[in-house]
Amino acid sequence: MYIRRAPRPARSGRPISSPSPFRTQPRSLRVGGVLLAATALLVSACSSGSSTTASTADSALAALPSSTPSALSPYYGQKLTWRTCGVPGFECATMKAPLDYAKPASGDIRLAVSRKKATGPGKRLGSLLVNPGGPGGSAVGYLQAYAGIGYPAEVRARYDMVAVDPRGVARSEPVECLTGREMDTYTQTDTTPDDVQETDQLVDAYKQFAEGCGQRSPDLLRHVSTVETARDMDMLRAVLGDKKLTYVGASYGTFLGATYAGLFPDRAGRLVLDGAMDPSLSARKLTEGQTAGFETAFQSFAKDCVSRSDCPLGGTGTSADQAGKNLKAFFQQLDAAPIPAGDADGRELGEALATTGVIAAMYDEAAWQQLREALTAAMKEKDGAGLLSLSDSYYERDADGRYANLMFANAAVNCLDLPAAFSRPDQVEKALPSFEKMSPVFGEGLAWASLNCAYWPVKPTGEPHRIEAKGAAPILVVGTTRDPATPYPWAQGLASQLSSATLLTYVGDGHTAYGRGSDCIDSTINRYLLKGTPATKGKRCS
């Protein structure tokens, strides 16, 4: 699925794997943005789930015992050694956790932690843990580049700002799968196959990706689930000396935060879940939701675009639907004949990379101008550099052809958390009409991207479920009405499950709401974090 979140270009300070659908955040559009999930190939799902029936989701996540098992006492009692880590004002440390919670004595995994101490004035309220989503986004990177310096000053004054890279992510023993060159090939694979040969090529790409992960990270792949990461978070809470967890999670980070609340309701403090996911949905339903969400976002972009003189998708009077048809026709032209992109490694802009570039810009309306300019250059001047740059930003590919491990971790978590949305190509083909109806522009590619977990080397350990977190303190769930990656109905779904949740609605565009420029949203969240006062029921902001 496409869900992923990361620092976004901000107005106030800052702000789904190549093929992996559920990525909740675009990381950075090279304008300070947030990266999304995985458009090209692994567009699987927040946790690539299966097309299960509603009854599958009737089960609720059960809380763990309130007492700490004796086998975990050494972990909960460890002392962190803080050190400077090259970023002024921040400290770093390494925390040990059991690789396998069922067998704590079988080995450790080392997790990277960073913090910036409360600046004052005012009494310190404890630690505020942040997570930008993904799965696969670096929480430490997010903290040091944005949250630790860009969150409201009154929040940073009262809390130590803290982050831990989830197991398998970035600095925490990262999952590895493909080389840079192999990833270049993977991200350019056609995800809208026209015949049996192209379908076989796509399936081969998914298999090679999965085999690469299995060969390079065989043991780790079995232990990067959201439940295990939530347990790591509780261990960090204890090590930091906090009785309850205070947390801001975005996109996939909401699923992580809700999972924490479900496992440890008595230890859940003030939790902000921004750009919420619904854990009761299967991968098929999650992918369908994102497909509709990206279409909604594109419609908003198209309406804005055609009102401007520099729109390459049509002039004044052109409907958003026609603009979509024009874009789809351009994608089909690229499928037949890629265009130059001025790339040092010889890559051209084909349909797959162009689609990823467009999807990346759907995460934040601040990127719409950049997208218009990139589309104009590509459609009118046969220059694909702009769209390639957006795509590279989404995949976290640097100028030297190196990829961060975002896409690898994204697939590893998604494919472990839920069963695959589809298990065979013929199932995708059967579903294509419904996906294309939901999104004429993106539906076909997103449907095929949901096939990636079918070939994963490790069987899933999770399934769709409700999270009620009975007994937890008030939780704040935030949803944006035209969010492409975590559609608004997901926030409504999560808020209805959590027994103590209040839903705060942002009426607007883009992925997530906190720090996006709405004083109403920001002040409501700040008041909750500082005073514990949740939003009033039914509160809507713009």
Side-chain angles (χ1 to χ4, degrees), residues 266-355:
D266 58 329
R267 301 173 193 170
R270 300 169 187 176
L271 308 184
V272 177
L273 309 180
D274 182 14
M277 289 181 54
D278 184 345
S280 71
L281 299 177
S282 67
R284 169 73 178 266
K285 291 296 183 183
L286 287 169
T287 304
E288 289 175 347
Q290 283 195 328
T291 300
F294 278 107
E295 181 64 22
T296 296
F298 175 77
Q299 290 281 322
S300 291
F301 163 74
K303 290 174 183 177
D304 177 80
C305 183
V306 298
S307 70
R308 301 172 183 273
S309 60
D310 63 343
C311 180
L313 300 178
T316 303
T318 302
S319 69
D321 287 342
Q322 184 58 51
K325 292 178 181 177
N326 295 340
L327 179 59
K328 184 66 174 178
F330 174 61
F331 286 160
Q332 291 171 341
Q333 292 173 17
L334 293 177
D335 187 27
I339 61 176
D343 180 57
D345 294 315
R347 292 176 301 157
E348 293 183 311
L349 183 74
E351 181 184 14
L353 293 175
T355 303

Side-chain angles (χ1 to χ4, degrees), residues 362-383:
M362 293 297 100
Y363 278 77
D364 197 303
E365 67 272 25
W368 287 359
Q369 179 180 347
Q370 184 180 357
L371 177 58
R372 287 198 310 274
E373 293 172 353
L375 284 171
T376 297
M379 297 175 73
K380 296 185 177 182
E381 302 167 15
K382 302 300 181 185
D383 178 1

Side-chain angles (χ1 to χ4, degrees), residues 19-21 41-44 206 411 415 448-456:
S20 191
L41 293 183
L42 277 187
V43 174
S44 105
Y206 287 144
C415 296
W448 280 107
S450 298
L451 185 62
N452 71 301
C453 286
Y455 309 103
W456 204 243

